[in-house]
Amino acid sequence: MADKYPALETEIRRRITSGGPMSVVHFMTLCLSHPEFGYYITQEPFGAAGDFTTAPEISQMFGELIGLWAGSVWRQMGSPKEIKLVELGPGRGTMMQDALRAAHVMPEFRAALAVHFVEISPVLEQRQRQFVGGLGVPFTWHKALDEVAEGPMIILANEFFDSLPVHQAVMCADGWHERVVKIDENDKLRFAIARDPIPLFDQMLPRGLRAQIGEIFEWRSDQVALEFGRRVKRSEGAALAIDYGHAKSAPGDTLQAVGKHQYADPLLAPGLIDLTAHVDFQALAEAAESMGARTFGPIDQGDFLRRLGIEQRAVALKATAAPSKVMELDRALDRLTGSRGRGMGQLFKAMAFAHPKLGPLPGFEA
């Protein structure tokens, strides 16, 4: 078996053979964060040569606006002399680099900053250390948000929550059954349904949710969302999450795999392709609010960026750009704010979290 399959698939097959079908959440966890063979441990997924492109890689405008958003929130917090700017899953560090460049227009904010990256990938941490060197701001790396010391804080999470593993359950005639991965009669990995229903699962579903037989419901552990809310409340600070997903909890199978900018079979190459699932913003808000945070949104990414001034920023950049760069800026603006084709403006959403004493945060004003 070791010669027949890649290392992580061999390990997954060994565990299924010895312990029976594996839950989707366990499968996804191994694929993304197995300590030796997990995707985020071994791969560099970003950019044209990687598997996917995130908003900061599309245009500098995205990170610049997020940097100015953070500076505006810092002022709402009373301009503390020291502020931790925490980014979860910072990729190559592109967004933070652009954010810090924009922060030069707010020198007191920039002087107060200490940046904290929460990153589990040693490959990406090494790239980040190279990328953000010489920016004149102290950087610290952590494996988890709860490792970051207390104090005034603004947290950023762009395309972070979609990468957290999801549980899946399937509605059957006798109740909800967990969705699992098994080895079939043709020696292939495939999805199946656990034999026994999940006890009392109906009581754990969001109020008012209705599903038909055969439909799938997804949910994530609340651990990170709860820590999000706790930190915002205790630090009298704020947080911003931008991701693709749905505003209200609903049934649906959104688990997907992406490799080399193409969709793929999630079971095809464990550890070698990215696995994600849509973010349930209702669940995210409820978890953070349970810890005392105030929530704003979600609103479409396109609306959020327009409210922050992305169209005006594009005009300013185009005024001094070469003709080829003008077209590039137009394409980037359409990609970030548009809803047609590959546009991210509607599918992606922004949600903010704040201490209750803070008023509406920038971009979320009524």
Side-chain angles (χ1 to χ4, degrees), residues 125-167:
E125 180 180 331
Q126 184 178 18
R127 174 58 67 95
Q128 292 155 12
R129 289 181 181 274
Q130 297 168 349
F131 207 60
V132 302
L135 293 179
V137 171
F139 278 77
T140 308
W141 277 260
H142 311 270
K143 297 298 183 186
L145 178 57
D146 58 14
E147 294 178 8
V148 181
E150 301 286 350
M153 184 180 300
I154 298 171
I155 307 170
L156 306 174
N158 179 61
E159 290 196 55
F160 172 78
F161 284 97
D162 68 90
S163 68
L164 299 181
V166 291
H167 301 258

Side-chain angles (χ1 to χ4, degrees), residues 161-228:
F161 284 97
D162 68 90
S163 68
L164 299 181
V166 291
H167 301 258
Q168 289 189 323
V170 183
M171 177 66 173
C172 300
D174 62 342
W176 290 88
H177 292 241
E178 187 150 26
R179 199 180 192 203
V180 297
V181 177
K182 72 174 212 176
I183 302 171
D184 69 12
E185 60 276 5
N186 297 315
D187 201 34
K188 302 287 188 184
L189 294 179
R190 74 172 179 88
F191 291 114
I193 298 171
R195 184 185 63 184
D196 298 321
I198 304 170
L200 305 176
F201 189 74
D202 282 324
Q203 298 179 21
M204 296 183 279
L205 289 170
R207 186 176 300 173
L209 185 138
R210 288 178 170 80
Q212 304 296 319
I213 290 178
E215 286 191 305
I216 290 172
F217 180 72
E218 298 173 336
W219 74 100
R220 289 181 166 90
S221 165
D222 285 339
Q223 181 180 354
V224 178
L226 291 170
E227 183 67 4
F228 231 53

Side-chain angles (χ1 to χ4, degrees), residues 236-293:
E236 299 187 353
L240 176 67
I242 300 178
D243 226 312
Y244 59 93
H246 40 276
K248 298 293 184 182
S249 300
D253 176 14
T254 72
L255 177 64
Q256 64 183 29
V258 176
K260 301 302 179 187
H261 301 271
Q262 301 290 328
Y263 291 111
D265 180 344
L267 304 179
L268 188 61
L272 302 178
I273 53 178
D274 186 37
L275 297 180
T276 65
H278 285 207
V279 175
D280 181 343
F281 281 96
Q282 178 182 332
L284 186 58
E286 289 174 354
E289 288 169 352
S290 74
M291 301 303 289

Side-chain angles (χ1 to χ4, degrees), residues 76-77 228-239 288-296 352-361:
Q76 282 188 250
M77 293 170 61
F228 231 53
R230 188 186 75 83
R231 285 305 182 101
V232 162
K233 178 72 183 302
R234 291 191 62 172
S235 71
E236 299 187 353
E289 288 169 352
S290 74
M291 301 303 289
R294 182 181 179 187
T295 60
F296 303 92
F353 312 82
H355 187 278
K357 75 174 185 179
L358 297 182
L361 299 184

Side-chain angles (χ1 to χ4, degrees), residues 266-349:
L267 304 179
L268 188 61
L272 302 178
I273 53 178
D274 186 37
L275 297 180
T276 65
H278 285 207
V279 175
D280 181 343
F281 281 96
Q282 178 182 332
L284 186 58
E286 289 174 354
E289 288 169 352
S290 74
M291 301 303 289
R294 182 181 179 187
T295 60
F296 303 92
I299 62 173
D300 291 348
Q301 174 177 290
D303 291 337
F304 178 66
L305 294 177
R306 279 188 287 267
R307 290 180 185 182
L308 295 186
I310 192 170
E311 292 170 332
Q312 294 88 337
R313 180 58 178 152
V315 169
L317 289 172
K318 287 192 290 184
T320 58
S324 61
K325 288 293 184 181
V326 169
M327 293 180 62
E328 186 178 307
L329 284 163
D330 284 336
R331 285 194 297 268
L333 179 63
D334 187 60
R335 180 87 184 274
L336 291 171
T337 63
S339 58
R340 294 176 299 177
R342 299 170 66 203
M344 304 165 69
Q346 202 167 48
L347 174 62
F348 282 71
K349 298 181 177 8

